[in-house]
């Protein structure tokens, strides 16, 4: 039996790096310390070599790469999309490829925390690393997110439960508040749950900002939350020592989008006139934060960037994948480690299905069905090493605990680049 | 390795480290290093005819924020300024964007196109060092390294509080090696911790660091001692207390008086203020210059203001919050567990703004009042006081008094009345400029192969034709009134390879990452491991930066 310690789970933005994997002599593996999501992610991936396919038929890597390169070379308006579940080494090569052929490149951020990026560009962002929440936070605010289900170890590892330098009591030393449109499983773990009426986050946040700024509020309730509750929450936030405000797609993907997030950021900024408060976005996919970072340092912009004219041009709404596809503006696509056909609006998914498209993914997602070329790479964090950025931007190198028998995404991009430049 | 020789023939050589001040000489580079003419294999050598040109070592910038988490947040936060500042892929190479915070590819190109070949990233939190290394890997042409923020590290605070300075020293050595860093950066020691714990700051070297029972003075003393004890090539690199306020000069003067070893004061311009007799915001540049002149263990870089847009980004959390509140601009704040904090606020320096005008005057006074060009270095604390690609404008201001006076005339009368700048006759010579941009920063960084052209030096050379001065078309809109010198090199050579021809970067040469690995007592790892298990959210084993992040590297020896 062989043990590998400090394995990094690449499933979600928590990037828990305290997993132990035991490989038994009979070839089976045992995962210790991961949540159910992570366990499944690591166990269910089979590292055996898989043949690439061309229109559903198995072909050699050479043939598949050649066909993929020819699709990219012949496209007039290629769209690259995804990137959130692959390593930054591959992301960097992917942007290089997009730059060399003049593609539009977008990431899954455009359908999750893209509005968070836009809010950051408008208002700034008072943030901190997860360890500051662990070591300092005596008040935790969760808004429009459900960590119990989506980031299962967030509470125990980073926010609610752990003992920290200035919170030696752990859970007893913290208060936690959840604001959401429904009473999710996370509500049971916190001290206080406030139900906001669907679509009224902006109004509630505005009321809280006014209260934090010392303004009087006459309304009996805002967004379904009674005045007294808002007043006491504002007081509680002002009175804590160090607060951390987490938020999820309940803010970013509901009415108001970046305005909701901007108001949330502004509330946190206002609170810093009274005490210390930071905000952290609950990023979903393992390396979606890395995708934002890599795109930013290679193009200047975090997502929705066109390289078609030889220079980077930023355009959420114009160069975002859903919009490009729904308007039939892409004539070929490269989908990396994501599953747009399963998640995009029907019209966008249908157009994607109708144009030549290449899928790079260690597993076989719905999007790979009907793909012109499918290129199965290795899975970072299982049989490949690479850099993943945690939801707070901390970069961690993943470990490989299984023998690699497939090319990495990075190697696939190297071969594509070579072939496209030929 | 194929034998490859490059000869730079007949140029006026400016190499202050070897006593050359414009003498006509030939420079020979063989397999990447400078060699004596006798050692050069002249048959089959590539020859550059440098007759009538000025030949000097490649530029060395010892303080510039070019890569890493904080820089990237600044880049992301300001898309509005990228739109008009781009690099076109169709001109060759990669595309890029960004004005005050360009992408790493663009940064590498623009530094090279200014004759620079070595740049030190000014501040990196160890926790996110891997990110900085990734960006540096995407930065062509330059040799680079990074200074690691240590002034608010809680492990060090614990050591200092317990009086265990040897443990502190070993931890510093371990950290530098683990994150592949180059030197110790100190930013508002204790003040950032106080900001994180209680929204306060540290006003003096005697202030209390809350919860740790130590003072900023004690932190600085320990770090200074450790840098010397470990024999680090570069001493402590200090951004001190009260940046930008009327209390800054007082504390800076004290840090000079009390320095117990090598001390580098960074962006001194921002640390030079006090009050005049009427209680108004005023500079104390004369006193600071006198203090530096009198203490040979002290060096400084200026952080010269350039009028126009800038992005302030420092590890000084409370300062950035206050600046954001004062200006009302967007504010990014970033607290990093156990290690540091920081923030970003975009800003625009205007000659009509009295404070900005005073800052501009202060920087130039410091340059001109410092007597020893070997202890003053040209920086704009990029992108805090201005973008690095404005160095040619600063060089012109230093070399050309009439240009200086012309700009001074445009400043508010209240500032002109209270500055001695107009009375200073001094103009920097070209040899002095080469000293403050090349020879001196290389020496204080402890880079024996940089900043000079003697045998054994890296073959990094910049060649300027004096007739080209001011001929680069500035890509910024703030170009009005901007005059420049040394802005358009004919040739730039990096380790014997041509990387710039007629002012335009070409090819895909990549430089090395410079790092140190001071020896330390390995038993320290037990304490660090324990510290990690209690206070870090990343495991001890996943913290050190692996070799693969430095595909091209050079360990610079400790003393």
């Amino acid at each position: 039996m062989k043990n590998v310690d400090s394995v990094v789970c690449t499933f979600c933005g928590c990037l828990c790096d305290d997993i132990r994997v035991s490989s038994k002599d009979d070839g089976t593996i045992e995962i210790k310390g991961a949540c159910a999501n992570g366990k499944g992610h690591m166990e269910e991936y089979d590292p055996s070599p898989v043949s690439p396919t061309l229109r559903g038929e198995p072909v050699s890597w050479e043939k598949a790469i050649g066909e993929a390169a020819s699709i990219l070379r012949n496209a007039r308006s290629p769209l690259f999309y995804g990137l959130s579940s692959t390593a930054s080494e591959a992301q960097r090569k992917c942007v290089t490829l997009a730059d060399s052929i003049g593609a539009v490149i977008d990431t899954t951020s455009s359908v999750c925390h893209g509005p968070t990026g836009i809010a950051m560009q408008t208002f700034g962002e008072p943030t901190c690393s997860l360890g500051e929440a662990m070591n300092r936070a005596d008040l935790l605010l969760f808004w429009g997110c459900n960590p119990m289900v989506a980031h299962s170890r967030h509470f125990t590892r980073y926010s609610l439960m752990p003992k920290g330098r200035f919170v030696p009591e752990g859970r007893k030393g913290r208060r936690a508040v959840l604001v959401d449109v429904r009473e999710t499983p996370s509500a049971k773990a916190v001290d206080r749950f406030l139900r906001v009426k669907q679509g009224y986050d902006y109004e509630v946040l505005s009321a809280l900002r006014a209260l934090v700024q010392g303004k009087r509020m006459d309304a009996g309730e805002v967004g379904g939350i009674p005045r007294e509750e808002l007043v006491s929450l504002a007081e509680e936030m002002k009175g804590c020592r160090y607060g951390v405000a987490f938020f999820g797609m309940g803010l970013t993907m509901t009415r108001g989008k970046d305005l909701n997030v901007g108001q949330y950021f502004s509330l946190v900024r206002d609170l810093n006139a009274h005490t210390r408060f930071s905000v952290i976005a609950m990023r979903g996919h393992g390396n979606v934060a890395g995708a934002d970072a890599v795109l930013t340092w290679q193009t200047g912009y975090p997502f929705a960037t066109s390289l078609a004219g030889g220079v980077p041009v930023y355009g959420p709404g114009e160069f975002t994948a859903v919009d490009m596809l729904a308007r039939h503006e892409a004539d070929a696509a490269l989908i990396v480690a994501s599953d747009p056909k399963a998640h995009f609006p029907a019209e966008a998914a249908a157009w994607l299905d109708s144009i030549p498209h290449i899928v790079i993914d260690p597993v076989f997602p719905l999007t790979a069905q009907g793909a012109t070329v499918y290129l199965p790479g290795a899975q970072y964090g299982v049989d490949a090493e690479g850099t993943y950025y945690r939801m707070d931007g901390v970069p961690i190198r993943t470990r490989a605990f299984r023998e690699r028998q497939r090319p990495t995404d990075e190697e696939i991009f190297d071969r594509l680049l070579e072939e496209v430049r030929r | 390795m194929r034998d490859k020789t490059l000869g730079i023939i007949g140029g006026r050589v400016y190499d202050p480290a070897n006593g050359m001040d414009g003498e006509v000489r030939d420079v020979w580079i063989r397999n990447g290093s400078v060699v004596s003419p006798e050692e050069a294999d002249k048959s089959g050598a590539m020859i550059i005819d440098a007759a009538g040109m000025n030949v000097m070592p490649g530029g060395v910038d010892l303080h510039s924020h070019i890569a890493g988490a904080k820089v990237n947040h600044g880049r992301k936060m300001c898309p509005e300024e990228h739109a008009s500042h781009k690099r076109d892929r169709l001109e060759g190479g990669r595309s890029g964007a960004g004005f005050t915070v360009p992408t790493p590819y663009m940064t590498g190109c623009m530094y090279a196109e200014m004759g620079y070949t070595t740049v030190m990233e000014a501040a990196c939190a160890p926790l996110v060092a891997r990110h900085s290394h990734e960006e540096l890997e995407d930065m062509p042409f330059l040799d680079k390294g990074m200074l690691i923020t240590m002034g608010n590290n809680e492990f060090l605070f614990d050591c200092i509080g317990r009086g265990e300075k040897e443990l502190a020293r070993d931890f510093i050595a371990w950290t530098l090696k683990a994150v592949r860093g180059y030197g110790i950066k100190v930013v508002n020691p204790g003040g950032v911790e106080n900001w994180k714990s209680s929204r306060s700051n540290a006003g003096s070297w005697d202030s209390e660091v809350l919860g740790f029972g130590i003072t900023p003075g004690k932190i600085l003393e320990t770090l200074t001692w450790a840098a010397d004890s470990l024999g680090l090539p570069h001493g402590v690199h200090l951004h001190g207390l009260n940046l930008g306020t009327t209390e800054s000069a007082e504390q800076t003067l004290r840090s000079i008086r009390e320095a117990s070893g090598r001390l580098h004061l960074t962006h001194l311009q921002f640390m030079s203020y006090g009050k005049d007799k009427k209680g108004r915001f005023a500079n104390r540049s004369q006193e600071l210059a006198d203090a530096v002149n009198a203490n040979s263990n002290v060096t400084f870089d200026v952080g010269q203001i350039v009028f126009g847009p800038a992005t302030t980004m420092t590890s000084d959390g409370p300062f950035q919050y206050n600046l954001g509140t004062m200006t009302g601009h967007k504010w990014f704040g970033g607290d990093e567990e156990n290690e540091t904090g920081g923030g970003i606020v975009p800003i625009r320096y205007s000659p009509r703004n009295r404070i900005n005008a005073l800052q501009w005057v202060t920087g130039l006074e410091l340059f001109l009042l410092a007597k020893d060009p070997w202890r003053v270095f040209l920086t704009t604390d990029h992108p805090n006081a201005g973008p690095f690609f404005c160095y040619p404008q600063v060089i012109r201001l230093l070399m050309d008094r009439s240009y200086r006076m012309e700009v001074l005339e445009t400043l508010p009368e209240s500032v002109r009345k209270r500055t001695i700048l107009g009375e200073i006759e001094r103009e920097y010579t070209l040899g002095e400029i080469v000293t403050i941009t090349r020879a001196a920063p290389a020496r204080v960084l402890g880079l024996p192969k940089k900043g000079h052209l003697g045998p054994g030096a890296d073959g990094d050379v910049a060649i300027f034709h004096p007739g080209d001065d001011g001929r680069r078309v500035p890509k910024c809109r703030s170009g009005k009134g901007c005059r420049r010198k040394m802005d358009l090199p004919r040739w730039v050579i990096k380790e014997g390879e041509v990387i710039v021809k007629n002012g335009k970067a070409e090819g895909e040469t990549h430089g090395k990452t410079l790092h140190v690995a001071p020896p330390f007592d390995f038993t320290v790892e037990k304490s660090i491991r324990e510290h990690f298990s209690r206070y870090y959210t990343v495991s001890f084993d996943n913290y050190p930066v692996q070799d693969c992040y430095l595909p091209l590297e050079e360990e610079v020896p400790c003393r």
Side-chain angles (χ1 to χ4, degrees):
Chain A
M1 200 168 85
K2 197 181 109 211
N3 292 327
V4 184
D5 284 320
S6 306
V7 168
V8 187
C9 172
T10 54
F11 181 76
C12 84
C14 281
L15 292 187
C16 302
D17 75 335
D18 58 347
I19 318 286
R20 164 175 278 203
V21 179
S22 309
S23 308
K24 294 186 185 151
D25 299 335
D26 63 0
T28 59
I29 56 162
E30 192 186 354
I31 315 279
K32 280 187 200 137
C35 68
N37 286 333
K39 209 159 174 264
H41 173 66
M42 286 188 258
E43 274 173 358
E44 285 162 24
Y45 166 74
D46 175 0
S48 321
V50 175
S51 174
T53 63
L54 176 62
R55 292 178 203 90
E57 297 300 319
V59 290
S60 69
W61 274 97
E62 200 180 349
K63 175 86 178 152
I65 295 278
E67 285 291 328
S70 124
I71 291 171
L72 296 176
R73 264 199 310 263
N74 295 326
R76 290 167 58 90
S77 176
L79 168 70
F80 288 15
Y81 174 77
L83 295 170
S84 52
S85 293
T86 190
S88 65
E89 288 82 357
Q91 293 165 346
R92 283 158 63 192
K93 294 272 165 67
C94 182
V95 186
T96 308
L97 181 65
D99 196 24
S100 64
I101 67 164
V104 167
I105 186 160
D106 188 30
T107 75
T108 61
S109 275
S110 70
V111 294
C112 63
H113 276 280
T116 303
I118 295 171
M120 187 265 204
Q121 291 168 335
T122 315
F123 299 97
E125 180 180 357
T127 188
C128 67
S129 76
L130 286 167
E132 295 290 23
M134 178 181 90
N135 283 319
R136 295 182 192 276
D138 58 345
L139 178 65
L140 301 163
L141 177 61
F142 297 91
W143 199 299
C145 58
N146 186 7
M148 199 70 125
V149 173
H151 296 92
S152 311
R153 294 185 72 211
H154 194 282
F155 281 159
T156 49
R157 228 175 107 73
Y158 302 120
S159 52
L160 203 53
M161 311 300 289
K163 292 177 179 164
R165 185 186 276 265
F166 302 101
V167 196
E169 321 87 326
R171 178 67 182 94
K172 289 197 195 94
R174 310 179 198 270
R175 289 265 300 163
V177 181
L178 172 69
V179 183
D180 209 340
V181 293
R182 61 197 164 87
E183 203 169 333
T184 61
S186 297
K188 291 182 189 66
V190 298
D191 301 299
R192 187 172 178 192
F193 170 69
L194 296 175
R195 187 195 300 270
V196 56
K197 229 162 45 180
Q198 171 76 44
Y200 280 81
D201 302 273
Y202 186 87
E203 285 81 347
V204 175
L205 288 165
S206 305
L208 282 170
R209 281 192 71 191
L211 289 168
V212 166
Q213 289 174 12
K215 303 212 163 74
R216 211 186 65 184
M217 189 174 117
D218 298 326
E221 58 92 29
V222 177
I225 303 178
R227 183 179 168 278
E228 308 77 64
E229 293 273 356
L230 291 171
V231 170
S232 75
L233 178 58
E235 287 309 311
E236 193 173 358
M237 290 192 294
K238 278 161 73 174
C240 74
R241 188 185 57 219
Y242 195 107
V244 180
F246 296 94
F247 68 105
M249 283 163 53
L251 275 189
T252 69
M253 282 291 141
T254 55
R255 190 176 68 114
K257 291 193 167 185
D258 50 302
L259 297 177
N260 295 340
V261 183
Q263 200 67 325
Y264 201 53
F265 287 179
S266 300
L267 170 65
V268 172
R269 178 174 176 150
D270 292 347
L271 282 162
N272 277 283
H274 303 276
T275 183
R276 288 306 322 283
F277 229 101
S278 291
V279 60
I280 299 179
M282 296 285 243
R283 303 307 305 266
H285 295 291
N287 199 24
V288 67
D292 283 16
V294 168
L295 251 77
T296 301
W297 89 60
Q298 291 221 348
T299 72
Y301 308 112
F303 69 111
T305 299
S306 170
L307 298 160
V311 294
V313 179
Y314 185 44
E318 187 174 7
F319 303 126
T320 26
V322 170
D323 306 273
M324 288 273 296
L325 291 169
R327 287 195 301 259
H328 301 185
E329 285 171 358
D331 66 349
L334 173 68
I335 308 298
V336 186
S338 61
D339 200 2
K341 284 186 202 164
H343 301 121
F344 277 10
E347 206 184 335
W351 182 254
L352 174 60
D353 216 21
S354 75
I355 57 176
H357 55 298
I358 304 151
V359 172
I360 300 178
D361 208 307
V363 294
F364 193 81
L366 183 66
T367 303
Q369 290 177 24
T372 320
V373 180
Y374 167 60
L375 303 167
Q379 175 77 65
Y380 288 99
V382 178
D383 56 351
E385 292 183 2
T387 316
Y388 269 54
Y389 286 68
R390 208 165 65 180
M391 61 168 73
D392 57 352
V394 172
I396 305 180
R397 186 161 186 84
T398 68
R399 289 170 185 268
F401 55 85
R402 305 196 75 153
E403 191 195 345
R404 186 158 68 81
Q405 304 169 61
R406 305 179 182 192
T408 61
D409 291 356
E410 188 187 357
E411 288 167 352
I412 293 173
F413 280 114
D414 272 334
R415 293 181 65 174
L416 280 172
L417 266 167
E418 197 181 314
E419 197 63 30
V420 164
R421 282 172 177 167
R422 181 171 290 181
Chain B
M1 192 178 174
R2 200 167 58 87
D3 200 64
K4 199 171 168 187
T5 303
L6 173 73
I8 301 161
I9 306 301
R12 288 189 292 268
V13 175
Y14 289 86
D15 182 10
N18 294 302
M20 293 275 167
D21 194 34
E23 285 87 340
V24 174
R25 288 281 190 282
D26 300 340
V27 175
W28 292 93
I29 300 167
R30 185 174 179 184
N31 297 333
S33 296
V34 177
V35 292
S36 64
E38 301 80 58
E39 282 176 88
D41 175 17
K42 291 169 190 163
S43 63
M46 178 188 166
I47 300 294
I48 291 177
D49 177 6
M53 300 192 209
N54 299 327
V55 176
M56 60 189 75
V60 179
D61 194 340
L62 90 169
H63 186 105
S64 181
H65 300 266
I66 50 173
K70 165 179 48 58
V71 176
N72 211 31
H73 285 304
R75 199 177 275 135
K76 178 179 170 185
M77 192 158 96
C78 300
E80 65 275 15
E81 67 161 38
H82 300 347
S84 50
H85 297 92
K86 296 178 169 183
R87 198 167 182 100
D88 196 327
R89 171 185 87 241
L90 305 173
E91 291 170 17
R94 287 289 303 272
S95 68
F99 183 29
T100 62
V101 197
T103 53
Y105 180 82
M106 218 165 135
T107 302
C109 291
M110 289 166 88
Y111 258 114
E113 289 173 352
M114 204 170 64
Y116 273 64
T117 49
T118 305
V119 182
M120 201 55 73
E121 157 58 37
C124 171
L127 181 63
V128 290
R130 196 172 273 106
H131 179 162
S132 306
H133 283 296
E134 280 215 288
E135 283 195 33
L136 290 178
E137 230 185 301
D138 282 349
M139 189 176 293
F141 305 121
L142 307 176
D143 286 343
K144 53 254 163 174
M146 54 206 209
L147 304 173
I148 304 299
T149 45
M150 301 221 183
N152 287 282
N153 191 298
E154 290 166 11
F155 185 90
L156 285 175
F157 288 4
D158 286 338
C159 297
I160 295 165
R162 292 191 303 260
E164 297 174 338
K165 68 176 185 173
E166 285 80 11
L167 183 60
R169 178 193 60 198
D170 285 347
F171 172 76
I172 290 165
W174 177 86
T175 304
L176 286 172
K177 183 163 186 284
V179 304
R180 308 310 191 91
Y182 189 76
I184 301 174
K185 174 76 182 293
V186 185
V187 179
N188 189 0
V192 177
E193 175 64 38
N194 282 354
W195 165 248
K196 293 202 291 186
S197 66
S198 63
R199 222 191 146 269
S200 60
N201 202 341
S204 112
W205 296 104
D206 301 322
S207 296
E208 188 192 347
V209 183
L210 301 166
F212 291 90
I214 57 172
T215 62
K218 194 74 194 160
I219 299 168
L220 182 60
E221 183 195 318
T222 308
L223 291 166
T224 308
W225 169 80
D228 287 340
S229 170
L230 291 167
L232 295 180
H234 182 45
V236 161
H237 196 103
L238 175 68
H239 154 159
L241 307 179
N242 305 321
L243 183 139
T245 74
T246 53
E247 301 301 313
S248 54
E250 190 60 39
Q251 298 305 321
T252 305
L253 286 164
R254 222 186 113 184
S255 66
I256 296 172
R257 280 198 303 273
E258 294 176 8
S260 52
R262 290 174 297 165
L263 179 67
H264 177 75
L265 302 166
T266 193
H267 43 70
L268 186 58
Q269 173 271 124
F270 285 114
M271 315 301 299
S272 301
Y273 302 98
K275 288 180 189 166
D276 65 10
K277 283 177 194 138
K278 290 182 181 163
R280 294 173 303 193
F281 190 80
N283 79 21
R284 295 175 68 181
S285 38
Q286 180 75 61
E287 286 167 83
L288 281 157
D290 290 347
V292 171
N293 289 338
N295 289 275
S296 62
N297 57 325
V298 179
T299 55
F300 73 92
D301 67 88
V302 172
Q304 173 63 30
I305 292 288
V306 178
F307 293 124
T311 303
T312 66
M313 51 171 74
T314 74
S315 308
D316 195 337
F319 163 74
Q320 295 289 167
Y321 172 76
N322 291 336
L323 188 66
T325 306
M326 190 175 82
T327 59
H329 295 169
K330 45 193 175 186
W331 164 58
F332 176 92
D335 295 341
E336 294 282 0
E337 63 206 65
N338 310 309
E339 295 179 350
T340 183
I344 305 163
V345 177
I347 199 168
R348 170 178 280 274
Y349 297 106
S350 161
R352 285 184 295 279
N353 177 305
R354 278 172 48 202
I355 300 288
N356 296 165
L358 184 68
Q359 287 181 282
W360 182 87
V361 161
T362 303
L364 289 176
E365 286 177 1
L366 289 169
F367 269 121
L368 296 162
L369 295 171
K371 290 204 174 119
D372 180 3
W374 285 92
R375 292 195 285 122
V376 49
F377 319 110
L378 192 160
T379 66
T380 56
D381 187 15
H382 165 82
N384 281 287
F388 67 83
F389 47 83
C390 296
Y391 287 180
Q393 186 195 103
V394 181
I395 292 172
R396 176 75 180 253
L397 286 165
L398 295 175
M399 294 184 75
D400 178 354
R401 181 168 184 266
S402 65
Y403 177 43
R404 211 154 67 210
M405 294 306 285
E406 197 182 301
V407 180
L408 186 61
E409 286 306 309
T410 67
L411 304 187
E413 201 194 343
S414 59
V415 173
R416 276 184 284 138
K417 271 195 333 215
R418 284 151 55 199
T419 174
I420 52 164
L421 185 61
E423 295 145 36
I424 302 177
E425 299 283 339
R426 181 178 174 193
E427 288 181 337
Y428 268 67
T429 64
L430 183 55
E432 286 174 329
I433 291 293
V434 173
T435 305
I436 67 169
T437 57
R438 287 147 164 90
R443 183 176 287 181
V444 79
L445 283 171
L447 293 169
K449 295 196 280 184
K450 299 291 182 193
H452 73 101
L453 296 173
D458 285 343
D460 302 349
V461 189
I463 305 170
F464 293 88
H465 192 291
D468 291 346
D469 278 353
R471 283 189 49 210
R472 185 183 290 284
V473 181
K475 289 196 169 157
C476 52
R477 279 167 298 178
S478 59
K480 208 180 73 178
C482 167
R483 304 207 208 305
R484 299 168 303 282
K485 251 186 187 318
M486 289 168 60
D487 51 340
L488 189 70
R490 280 281 167 99
W491 304 85
V492 181
I493 317 293
K494 175 80 184 49
E495 290 185 60
E497 301 284 337
V498 174
I499 56 170
V500 173
K501 216 188 267 180
N502 291 323
K504 180 95 181 79
E506 58 175 42
E508 284 189 15
T509 309
H510 267 70
K512 318 176 276 258
T513 302
L514 307 165
H515 61 103
V516 296
F520 59 90
D521 177 358
F522 281 94
T523 57
V524 69
E525 287 197 354
K526 189 163 170 280
S527 317
I528 304 173
R529 193 178 275 277
E530 162 76 13
H531 173 69
F532 266 72
S533 70
R534 292 172 67 179
Y535 302 135
Y536 269 90
T537 54
V538 174
S539 71
F540 176 83
D541 294 320
N542 287 330
Y543 188 81
V545 171
Q546 292 83 352
D547 289 342
C548 57
Y549 292 91
L550 295 82
L552 297 167
E553 52 84 35
E554 183 179 321
E555 185 188 320
V556 177
C558 292
R559 297 167 176 216

